[in-house]
Amino acid sequence: MEVKREGIIFMGVFTLFIFLVILSNLSIIGAEVPGHNPDLDYKCGEGRQWSRSTVGCEQAVCPEGAGRTYGLDCNCGEAWGRPFRTCYDEKGLAAYCISNDQECEKPPPTEKECQASCVEYHGPEAYVRDIVDGVCMCKCEEGYEEDESLLCVKIPPTEDECQEYCVEYHGPNSFVSDIVGNACMCKCKDGYVEDESLGCIKITAITSSTTTTTTTTTTTTTTTTTFYEQYNPSKNYCGPEGKASGPNTAVFSQASFNFACYTHDKCYAECEKNQYSQEYCDSEFLRIMDSSCDNTRNQLVNECNRMAWYYRIPCKAKVLGQMMACRSQARAYFVGVSVLGEPLGSYPCQSIPIA
């Protein structure tokens, strides 16, 4: 009887030990995380609680069929060699248990993941419109549409939009000759020619000097009309008159300052006849150079827009740097003529009020 009683006591103690081990590994479904400290739950995300046992955030409730490991992680059986696996949701929480011969459903993508996917497959002008049944629905930004390769490309301008563009950058005497890709191709009307900065100007027949002599038996009248020389694109007009000329194009871009220099020289030469002050001539000089920089920028940006999307950003960044350099050079020229125009004798008039 003594032996039998000792055997029963031993079996009872052993069963209690096994029960405590299982209890320490498996949680009761719906119970709080062991060692829960509600005061520190603010440190944890949704679905997690602060545990004193691990001094960290743990999943608050394990799914049905799952237990907790010594580290208080929810686990369906992999940790103990059971033929089950744990499936997780998009937040990294154990969601449900399946047998080893099954596959977990892929969690739906987050908005951040969808945005990355939209940009990867449709270009930087794409964004997330919606997420439907785990599928990212992408859409092109306003002003863009999908091409045959599903990339978001800029919608080609309409003829009316191109006409507005031509008038804005080339003047009212220009019109749309063609639309190539996203670029508006402008042309001057008959009787007009495109200069290097101001767009379409009227073609005029100008001679350097015309002398008309009328003689009668009683009176002789001589009339002389002098015109400033006609613009010659092949001549460099940048630099003091009659002296060594400077660069007539922007150093880091294709912008030309030649017509601006010609107009500036002409303004100085005709200052007395037209009552042009030096300040007026110099300010017009800067305006025309800035206009040349802007026209060149628009042409270069149009070229960038015709590139593949992954080349556009570095291309436009390069154009931005070129235009900053272009405007800096224009201002250097402006300061030069403003300070040295009169001392060098380039500006021949005196004390003419600002036009």
Side-chain angles (χ1 to χ4, degrees):
M1 290 294 293
E2 285 291 330
V3 174
K4 189 175 181 179
R5 191 182 316 118
E6 288 178 0
I8 293 173
I9 293 173
F10 174 77
M11 289 299 296
V13 172
F14 180 75
T15 302
L16 179 61
F17 173 76
I18 295 298
F19 175 76
L20 292 175
V21 169
I22 294 175
L23 188 62
S24 67
N25 283 275
L26 299 176
S27 66
I28 302 173
I29 304 304
E32 291 182 338
V33 64
H36 179 213
N37 182 359
D39 294 337
L40 297 179
D41 281 349
Y42 69 90
K43 295 185 176 182
C44 307
E46 183 180 354
R48 301 179 187 275
Q49 296 175 342
W50 182 270
S51 172
R52 297 186 185 90
S53 302
T54 60
V55 195
C57 297
E58 306 298 340
Q59 185 168 336
V61 179
C62 294
E64 183 178 357
R68 292 190 186 273
T69 64
Y70 286 110
L72 299 186
D73 295 321
C74 293
N75 193 282
C76 293
E78 305 97 310
W80 309 290
R82 294 167 58 195
F84 297 96
R85 67 171 63 180
T86 310
C87 294
Y88 298 89
D89 62 16
E90 64 275 9
K91 299 175 184 175
L93 299 175
Y96 56 94
C97 300
I98 59 173
S99 59
N100 279 339
D101 59 351
Q102 295 177 309
E103 294 292 334
C104 295
E105 294 180 3
K106 188 176 179 179
T110 63
E111 187 170 352
K112 184 177 180 180
E113 291 171 336
C114 273
Q115 181 59 39
S117 176
C118 288
V119 170
E120 179 180 1
Y121 292 103
H122 302 282
E125 289 81 14
Y127 67 95
V128 183
R129 177 172 60 85
D130 200 359
I131 302 175
V132 180
D133 297 330
V135 178
C136 302
M137 310 300 289
C138 305
K139 189 176 181 179
C140 295
E141 294 177 359
E142 186 176 355
Y144 290 81
E145 63 181 1
E146 285 187 357
D147 62 9
E148 61 277 3
S149 61
L150 301 183
L151 285 175
C152 291
V153 296
K154 194 170 183 64
I155 298 174
T158 64
E159 188 167 350
D160 288 342
E161 290 172 336
C162 274
Q163 182 59 39
E164 291 179 4
Y165 168 85
C166 290
V167 170
E168 180 180 358
Y169 291 102
H170 301 280
N173 297 307
S174 64
F175 66 95
V176 184
S177 62
D178 198 2
I179 301 176
V180 181
N182 295 313
C184 301
M185 311 303 292
C186 305
K187 192 175 181 180
C188 294
K189 297 178 181 178
D190 291 341
Y192 293 82
V193 64
E194 186 174 305
D195 62 31
E196 299 180 17
S197 298
L198 296 180
C200 298
I201 59 174
K202 192 172 183 62
I203 299 174
T204 56
I206 302 176
T207 58
S208 59
S209 178
T210 302
T211 302
T212 304
T213 303
T214 304
T215 305
T216 65
T217 57
T218 56
T219 306
T220 301
T221 303
T222 302
T223 304
T224 303
T225 305
T226 303
F227 297 89
Y228 194 75
E229 67 174 279
Q230 189 175 10
Y231 176 64
N232 180 6
S234 62
K235 179 180 178 180
N236 186 352
Y237 292 94
C238 294
E241 189 73 20
K243 300 179 177 62
S245 296
N248 62 354
T249 57
V251 177
F252 296 107
S253 72
Q254 305 165 8
S256 173
F257 294 154
N258 204 41
F259 188 78
C261 293
Y262 163 79
T263 306
H264 187 251
D265 290 346
K266 186 173 184 291
C267 188
Y268 272 18
E270 298 178 346
C271 60
E272 185 173 359
K273 181 180 73 172
N274 297 314
Q275 291 294 291
Y276 289 149
S277 66
Q278 182 184 350
E279 290 82 358
Y280 172 77
C281 293
D282 293 347
S283 63
E284 280 297 290
F285 180 45
L286 178 61
R287 184 184 68 82
I288 297 172
M289 287 190 293
D290 283 345
S291 177
S292 180
C293 290
D294 291 341
N295 289 340
T296 302
R297 177 200 62 205
N298 294 331
Q299 294 169 7
L300 295 177
V301 168
N302 279 340
E303 292 176 7
C304 292
N305 288 334
R306 291 197 291 270
M307 296 179 178
W309 66 266
Y310 40 82
Y311 288 128
R312 290 178 203 157
I313 294 178
C315 178
K316 291 180 180 179
K318 179 182 177 182
V319 171
L320 177 61
Q322 289 174 328
M323 290 307 102
M324 291 176 64
C326 184
R327 286 184 173 270
S328 296
Q329 185 174 339
R331 271 144 189 77
Y333 280 18
F334 170 73
V335 171
V337 297
S338 298
V339 174
L340 301 176
E342 190 171 345
L344 288 177
S346 300
Y347 181 75
C349 299
Q350 300 290 332
S351 304
I352 294 179
I354 297 176

